[in-house]
Amino acid sequence: YTTTHYKDYLPSANFALNITDNMIGRFAASTTMTRPNPSSLLPGLGFGDISAFNGTLGNASLTPYLSKNMDLGLEYYTGKEGYIALTAFNKRMTGFTLNQNTLYPFSFLAQYGVTYDTLNPSQQAAILTRCGCSATNTAAINAQNVNISQPFNASGVLKIDGLEAAWVQPLGQWFAPLEGFGYSANYTYIKQKGS
């Protein structure tokens, strides 16, 4: 049983300016928080790999990651529900989650209830093959390396810059028999850099 507490202030501001009757400029700035995947927070060990080499370990100490966001957009309304929009955005993310692989001796798994006797027959055969020993050689079995993947909060910054273009157009405003039909097109370009 573990308990983790966290808190943060998440300011947000949105501004819109009517440039003409059909054109609106928008600016938004915010800080957002994304919680870690709940399955990554589970403190238990997953060791179902048939080779008895790879396992996963949760991390109850994971904290949410934060993103500082800015958006600058221009929207042109073509009539009814139709519009054309172009938006540039910038995000700076910190504390995002990555997986780290660490080699531990097999004996490390005992604290999570995994021993040679709890392995299935395929896993037992695999670990004996790796150590080239018999099932009675506990020291050699416990010395075998296992690769454990565990999530952690990275200390770097992920910078995301992007441009999004969208066009939503009902066709009925141009040709009456097509009332109720239309199309939606979207293009997004993203460039990211991590440190």
Side-chain angles (χ1 to χ4, degrees):
Y1 185 106
T2 60
T3 302
T4 304
H5 297 279
Y6 49 82
K7 63 180 180 177
D8 215 318
Y9 296 100
L10 304 172
S12 176
N14 294 283
F15 301 95
L17 174 66
N18 286 42
I19 300 169
T20 68
D21 288 344
N22 295 338
M23 188 177 294
I24 298 176
R26 297 188 185 275
F27 173 76
S30 64
T31 300
T32 55
M33 176 177 70
T34 301
R35 292 176 180 85
N37 186 329
S39 64
S40 298
L41 293 168
L42 296 173
L45 173 75
F47 198 67
D49 179 32
I50 195 165
S51 70
F53 181 70
N54 295 302
T56 58
L57 185 60
N59 184 350
S61 299
L62 288 176
T63 58
Y65 60 85
L66 297 176
S67 177
K68 295 185 179 191
N69 316 298
M70 284 196 306
D71 300 77
L72 183 61
L74 191 62
E75 300 170 356
Y76 179 75
Y77 291 86
T78 61
K80 294 190 176 181
E81 298 87 7
Y83 69 91
I84 299 170
L86 184 64
T87 304
F89 58 89
N90 172 274
K91 299 176 183 296
R92 298 290 184 259
M93 295 168 46
T94 57
F96 50 91
T97 304
L98 295 175
N99 285 326
Q100 178 175 329
N101 293 317
T102 307
L103 289 176
Y104 291 103
F106 182 75
S107 59
F108 170 83
L109 305 182
Q111 63 187 309
Y112 299 99
V114 177
T115 64
Y116 177 80
D117 293 332
T118 64
L119 299 178
N120 66 44
S122 297
Q123 290 173 317
Q124 288 177 344
I127 203 163
L128 292 179
T129 300
R130 283 207 319 268
C131 75
C133 62
S134 69
T136 58
N137 193 340
T138 307
I141 293 170
N142 284 334
Q144 294 307 299
N145 284 332
V146 290
N147 179 47
I148 302 298
S149 177
Q150 184 176 31
F152 70 100
N153 290 104
S155 60
V157 176
L158 181 62
K159 300 173 183 177
I160 302 173
D161 296 310
L163 188 64
E164 182 175 39
W167 187 4
V168 175
Q169 187 62 56
L171 297 175
Q173 79 182 70
W174 293 332
F175 189 57
L178 293 178
E179 188 67 39
F181 290 92
Y183 62 85
S184 174
N186 179 286
Y187 173 79
T188 303
Y189 170 79
I190 293 176
K191 177 182 175 184
Q192 70 180 35
K193 181 179 180 182
S195 63

